Amino acid sequence: MVRLHVQHDQLTPKDWPKGFRLRIVVLADIHACTAWMNVPRIDKIVARANALKPDIVLLLGDYLSGMHLMFKSLPHNHWAESLAQLKAPLGVHAVLGNHDWWEDLQAQARRGGPTMAGNALEEVGIKVYSNEAVRFEKDGHGFWLAGLESQLALLSNRRIPRRGVVGLDDLDGTLAQVTNDEPIVLMAHEPDIFPKVPSRVSVTLSGHTHGGQVRVRDRSPAVPSRYGNQYAYGHVVEDDRHLIVSGGLGYSVLPLRFGVPPEINLIELG
């Protein structure tokens, strides 16, 4: 297994309250399985994340493996119980990813939730956001945490998985729940929503791409995004809007990483 990396980003978004510091740890794309991403491995990731002493922990989806034909998936309660050991004063919060929907045949059949992955997280006390915004306070400053549902949730053709995919995300409805001008941190598993995100949002946090999983000279030959390398990895700034795309922790399609090691993200705002 490639050595775990901690990617540290420090930024002060436009209109961020003076003197307000927020320390966020992000885990994305775990893809739990019995091979490289088993319970002992997840436990080590959790211990490393806790050692960073975050104010809040955000989980950005794809807890389930998309490689079940080659490797056995972990039982949902096993990986969820490991993630339940994450600790932060403001709690642990999650969104779902496309694989959490795609691998759930019952959710696909009824064209909606609940999902097995979502239930597993909720059962261990981790809140799952599906187009929802919730207000928090730290050191006398308020902020909003918003979480979108997957933009690639429902498959219309199981034989051709990426054709006719339907999203369940509702950006406008999610942001409409924010009732004041305090800053917003947005969780969105897939980064392709970013062009639609208004400047009102302080930072958008995404996973999904694995940084392309193979990366040479800051480019990847294949990225699961309609924007290619534009939102493949790292800190992107457009028109004073911030996006951070995690390289993630697990594998998809092939158990291969080159130039983009598995990572935990530490993001310091303010």
Side-chain angles (χ1 to χ4, degrees), residues 165-184:
V165 179
V166 177
L168 294 177
D169 55 299
D170 181 1
L171 179 61
D172 291 342
T174 301
L175 297 183
Q177 298 169 42
V178 175
T179 58
N180 58 31
D181 62 356
E182 293 170 337
I184 302 170

Side-chain angles (χ1 to χ4, degrees), residues 2-191:
V2 181
R3 181 175 294 181
L4 182 64
H5 170 66
V6 175
Q7 175 59 37
H8 186 191
D9 288 286
Q10 294 176 292
L11 59 146
T12 303
K14 182 181 178 181
D15 299 327
W16 188 261
K18 186 177 181 180
F20 178 30
R21 291 179 173 82
L22 185 65
R23 189 175 175 91
I24 303 172
V25 161
V26 167
L27 304 181
D29 302 287
I30 291 169
H31 291 292
C33 64
T34 55
W36 52 83
M37 194 57 75
N38 51 29
V39 168
R41 175 65 177 173
I42 298 173
D43 286 345
K44 289 180 181 178
I45 291 169
V46 166
R48 187 80 177 272
N50 286 340
L52 296 172
K53 299 190 181 304
D55 297 314
I56 191 168
V57 176
L58 306 182
L59 308 178
L60 298 186
D62 274 5
Y63 315 96
L64 306 189
S65 172
M67 303 170 67
H68 53 84
L69 296 179
M70 291 186 286
F71 304 98
K72 288 186 64 177
S73 297
L74 284 183
H76 302 316
N77 62 309
H78 289 190
W79 57 259
E81 287 170 0
S82 288
L83 293 178
Q85 304 310 306
L86 289 162
K87 305 296 181 186
L90 297 178
V92 183
H93 310 267
V95 292
L96 299 180
N98 56 300
H99 281 285
D100 305 318
W101 285 94
W102 291 3
E103 307 306 320
D104 192 330
L105 299 184
Q106 292 182 344
Q108 290 293 320
R110 62 176 170 262
R111 312 302 286 172
T115 63
M116 294 183 293
N119 285 343
L121 290 166
E122 297 274 8
E123 286 171 4
V124 297
I126 296 174
K127 179 172 174 55
V128 179
Y129 292 64
S130 180
N131 301 321
E132 185 178 1
V134 176
R135 184 181 181 274
F136 291 87
E137 284 191 6
K138 177 184 179 281
D139 300 333
H141 295 280
F143 72 97
W144 292 81
L145 178 63
L148 287 188
E149 192 52 86
S150 173
Q151 301 153 55
L152 301 171
L154 302 178
L155 300 171
S156 63
N157 187 336
R158 290 290 295 181
R159 294 181 181 178
I160 312 176
R162 296 186 184 276
R163 180 173 296 175
V165 179
V166 177
L168 294 177
D169 55 299
D170 181 1
L171 179 61
D172 291 342
T174 301
L175 297 183
Q177 298 169 42
V178 175
T179 58
N180 58 31
D181 62 356
E182 293 170 337
I184 302 170
V185 175
L186 176 65
M187 298 184 289
H189 175 69
E190 300 92 355

